[in-house]
Amino acid sequence: MEINPGNPTDKLAVALDNALRLPATRLRGAIDEAAASGSALEILHRSAAIHAATIAKAHEGRSRANLEALASGIEVTADRATRGALIQDWIDYLTDRTQRAVLTLDTLRERGDIFVAHEAAGCPPVLVYDYEIALDGRDLPRPCNYMLLKITPPEGVTVIDKKRPYVIIDPRAGHGAGIGGFKFDSQVGVALSRGNPVYFVGFRRDPEPGQTLADVTRAEAEFVREVMRRHPESNKPVVIGNCQGGWATLLLAITNPDLTGPIVLNGAPVEPWSGQVGTDPMRYNGGIFGGTWMTMFLSDLGNGVFDGAHLVDNFERLNPSRNYVGKYYDLFADVDAGRQRFLEFERWWGGFFRLNEAEIRWIVEQLFVGNRLVRNTAQLEPGRPLDIKSVRAPIIVFASRGDNITPPQQALNWIPDTYADVDEIRIRGQRIVYMLHEEVGHLGIFVSASVAKKEHAQVSSVMKTIESLAPGLYEMKIEAAEGDGINRQFTVAFYERVLDDVRAIDDDRTDEAPFGAVDRLSEAQAEAYDVAVRPLVQAMVTPATAEAG
């Protein structure tokens, strides 16, 4: 067929053909690169072996426990039968199980009522503390759905305005705000107990039209300035970021290096490609689900808005037996004591918050699939590059070996990837302190009462010490304890470390190479979707269908 360059129809056909060729070429290149990776099969073999060993060990332990329980049960049953008590035992068992079932169902009913009431109230933060809105992000020149909350100290707690304020940024990863302060023994409670003013960065369920992460970062910077205006005689605020709020805190410190005091990154996935083979499954989601195009597609179905329920579903798929069966059995088994704890957590877990497509696409492209922040190629917006080395405030990193959402490698590997050696950290005048917990899970980092009383309390108590350390890399360890209850005192030590100490936390980083191919494949698929599929999807979606979905 002959193409007439002067014909508008032919020109459109040529443009569309060229647009489709580019993604196809990049797609073939990414597939070839992945196939050429000689280590891919070895990594798969190692992962399969680890999973097989883990499954075998778990089933062996469970089978042994079941057999022991069966043997004990047979012995007890025989003894009760000889006494003629089996019928009464059976009646007592049925009575107990019926009562537990009724109480469990009533708890689930109450959970539904709480969900409806929470939605009707606009999904406010689930903080256990009273608060007032100090600054609303909707009133800023570039509006966003974030807000600065000033925590009201409970009765009997005195806050001294001259003390250094604490600003806590909660994660916006599908759930609502408040996880850092929905217990009295929490990050908020630790700071208040020391007399420090506490501010909480929360957010509403729906983003403002056109909102981007750059708008959010600007709002968070303005929140910190507002805190400084309210406490002019205090040192610069300590900014604490939980999970997603951790890398958001890092973005804040990168773009405003002279604004904050020490920053604390709790379970923050700064280097999402890292982890141990066979034990950290969430880092593979980008490859399994096709990368960026899936978030684009889901955002299109939402008429430009991404439903956070999809992110929550990722967390639940990490342990389906726990999320769909185990937690309900635990409630059933301890319904009297566990009812309130279950309802408090579900109030937070069951609230799904939304992001604009520009926000979730930046998160996926720049962080979780692209890993560009630590490679110095991330841009908060066009012409605004991000360089971790520009942070001037001390950086405190808290990670846990028991965290399967943000393993220690994701929380710490950015350090050796950013700096050539410890001497560079010292030359730049930077202080980086990290602390490793041996077993607490991801959410436990933010909500565990024992972690709040120990790790968070000690980080808060030694903040001045950290600032007075000579520039360098340190590991903080809590080595001894004296006393009981609120009078319990811990001995904290700081050990100088080198980058090889951080590298030693990871088993081997060769497994990260295929993620580069996944990044390229994601870009190619996104371009193909954008050109060939997106116009059709957007044409079929209306505000009504988006809300119904």
Side-chain angles (χ1 to χ4, degrees), residues 426 430-431 466-474:
R426 293 172 181 149
Q430 180 56 275
R431 297 162 183 82
I466 291 174
E467 290 183 289
S468 64
L469 289 171
L473 176 65
Y474 300 86

Side-chain angles (χ1 to χ4, degrees), residues 513-532:
F515 285 87
V518 170
D519 182 27
R520 288 189 59 197
L521 185 63
S522 173
E523 291 180 4
Q525 289 176 317
E527 290 177 6
Y529 173 81
D530 199 30
V531 170

Side-chain angles (χ1 to χ4, degrees), residues 165-182:
Y166 278 68
V167 178
I168 299 173
I169 301 179
D170 240 17
R172 182 169 166 239
H175 302 101
I179 192 66
F182 88 128

Side-chain angles (χ1 to χ4, degrees), residues 142 214 217-218 255-256 378-386:
R142 294 178 63 166
T217 302
R218 283 190 174 88
T255 54
N256 300 271
Q379 295 190 41
L380 189 58
E381 53 191 345
R384 198 179 181 192
L386 299 170

